[in-house]
Amino acid sequence: MTARKKPAELRSNRWYGPNDMRAFGHRSRTAQMGYSRADYQGKPVIAIINTWSDINPCHSHFRQRAEEVKRGVWQAGGFPVEMPAITLVRAVPEADDDALSQPARDGDRGAAALAIRPTAAC
């Protein structure tokens, strides 16, 4: 098991720790979302990327699953932040000529990964 990092060693400390305008912006936006400083100070910020969407029936369970993951992050001492990601679907013709939505595959997954990477790297 790896040793726990000190709060100053956490990457999230760069968001919230310094006494500069950038960190002030992060702290003020977090306060606008209803969180107190005790909710995030000295804790790792854990991003939860969620592709839940009303239009993608295959991802309908992700809304509940993301809430369960957030609860686990809170219990483990972290600060969960849910971020949306594009949900890729394509119509698949069926025998009765109605189109069903199914998640896109392979190449489209690469496009989704490219869309998520800048969001998660903040």
Side-chain angles (χ1 to χ4, degrees), residues 66-87:
E67 289 301 319
E68 293 166 351
V69 170
K70 284 198 303 194
R71 192 169 46 250
V73 170
W74 282 117
Q75 290 173 351
F79 179 65
V81 178
E82 188 175 346
M83 296 185 207
I86 188 169
T87 179

Side-chain angles (χ1 to χ4, degrees), residues 39-62:
D39 289 332
Y40 61 82
Q41 189 147 17
K43 297 179 181 181
V45 176
I46 307 298
I48 301 166
I49 309 298
N50 191 353
T51 59
W52 174 86
S53 170
D54 280 332
I55 65 167
N56 192 341
C58 294
H59 294 188
S60 63
H61 65 290
F62 284 1

